[in-house]
Amino acid sequence: MSNASATHPTRRGILAAGGALGLGAVLAACGDDDGQSGGSGDKAGGGSAAKSGPWSFKDDRGTTVKLDKVPTNIVAFTGVAAALFDYGVQVKGVFGPTTTKDGKPDVQAGDLDVDKVTVLGNEWGKLNVEKYASLAPEVLITTTFDTAGTLWSVPEESKDKVAKLAPSVAISVFDRQLTQPLQRMWELAESLGADMKAKKVTDAKAAFDKAAARLRAAAKARPEIRVLAGSASPDLFYVSGTNLSVDLEYFKALGVNFVEPSEAAKKATGGWFESLSWENVDKYPADVIIMDDRASTIQPADITEGTWKKLPAVKAGQVIARSPEPILSYDKCTPLLDNLAEAIENAKKVG
């Protein structure tokens, strides 16, 4: 799914794991692989994450985490925290891109109130273990981008220490369509006490379904429009393949005509992408370009390369944002569908 930071190409395919140093109390509940039924375990019910009673959740690694009560001391990757926030679940601490240099919420923070969470690391792969321990975490929640269940953005060098402090839950965003992790995040939020019958929640789901139908119709009406998914770094331009990214796999399933990197190039990066020099950025003709919106990449307005500015799609103003690490709530994923549908609907054939 996510193609990770453009300046760290290995993170596009083989992802770093996370763990940590365990200061003090290891919680009574720990993960196992007992094969209990998937999805959320014992429902918290109601709309309050403070409901009492045992809690369990089987994650996408097949690991079931069990606690004596619904956790409230939750630490999560920023994008996961943002998704849970949309469902009314507040986390205590976050790790990952959270605020920009001027203190504003990062694009991956969504509507999260960044002043009400403890930031344990404000970039990918950073997690302050001592700060983490001080929060007395009951569970750590993040995503995973590989078959091994590697915890996204948890530092490899401290993963064992992190694991001793609290059990972890991972939602997979690897080699599947967007709707699957969206459903899993829904189930997780529900298990944590979110009111999934609230009008805000049901309206967001209905809006997503409407946007999906719109994108399918746009792709069917304009099959000639070629869409390229790109990401920019100072030295290289990355063209993403669609086979592993949850957003691109879903858009493709809806009929969007994507430009695909060569098979040889994708093989060299584990199937994720092809890297091009800026001199060769015009290798693949495209009518619409969707660009990685994360702070770790160069945004279209800041690209100064002349070869970029000469691209037909760029000259035609047919460049929009893409979120390779989408916030997994229906509210935040709906604009991704609508924006792409609008771009295809209005695109001129230029590539």
Side-chain angles (χ1 to χ4, degrees), residues 55 57 59 61 65 139-143 151 167-171 188:
W55 178 84
F57 188 85
D59 75 0
R61 300 170 299 178
V65 174
V139 66
L140 179 147
I141 308 174
T142 186
T143 51
L151 297 178
S168 60
V169 166
I171 300 298
L188 176 59

Side-chain angles (χ1 to χ4, degrees), residues 115-293:
D115 294 324
K116 291 185 177 180
V117 293
T118 299
V119 181
L120 305 175
N122 195 29
E123 59 183 281
W124 188 92
K126 299 293 183 182
L127 195 164
N128 184 303
V129 179
E130 287 71 24
K131 258 190 176 182
Y132 178 59
S134 73
L135 296 179
E138 295 172 284
V139 66
L140 179 147
I141 308 174
T142 186
T143 51
T144 182
F145 285 79
D146 60 18
T147 56
T150 302
L151 297 178
W152 184 240
S153 197
V154 177
E156 171 68 25
E157 63 274 13
S158 56
K159 66 178 183 180
D160 294 334
K161 297 173 183 178
V162 170
K164 291 177 182 177
L165 288 168
S168 60
V169 166
I171 300 298
S172 180
V173 284
F174 176 72
D175 195 18
R176 61 200 61 204
Q177 294 182 25
L178 179 60
T179 46
Q180 188 173 344
L182 274 172
Q183 177 61 30
R184 294 292 285 137
M185 191 64 73
W186 174 290
E187 293 167 358
L188 176 59
E190 186 175 31
S191 80
L192 292 169
D195 181 2
M196 308 315 281
K197 294 181 180 179
K199 188 175 186 302
K200 176 184 176 182
V201 174
T202 57
D203 283 354
K205 176 63 167 63
F208 178 88
D209 291 340
K210 183 179 179 181
R214 178 186 179 186
L215 181 54
R216 186 188 297 276
K220 184 176 181 180
R222 304 293 309 278
E224 76 281 6
I225 298 301
R226 292 171 294 186
V227 178
L228 183 147
S231 184
S233 74
D235 300 320
L236 295 170
F237 181 80
Y238 301 95
V239 179
S240 297
T242 60
N243 290 339
L244 300 177
S245 299
V246 290
D247 61 329
L248 302 185
E249 283 204 16
Y250 184 51
F251 300 158
K252 182 171 64 175
L254 292 175
V256 176
N257 178 14
F258 277 102
V259 172
E260 293 284 355
S262 70
E263 289 303 317
K266 285 194 293 184
K267 186 176 182 181
T269 62
W272 285 97
F273 66 100
E274 176 177 359
S275 56
L276 300 173
S277 67
W278 284 104
E279 289 76 14
N280 295 317
V281 74
D282 61 352
K283 178 176 179 179
Y284 299 107
D287 304 294
V288 172
I289 301 175
I290 57 175
M291 288 291 289
D292 190 334
D293 67 356

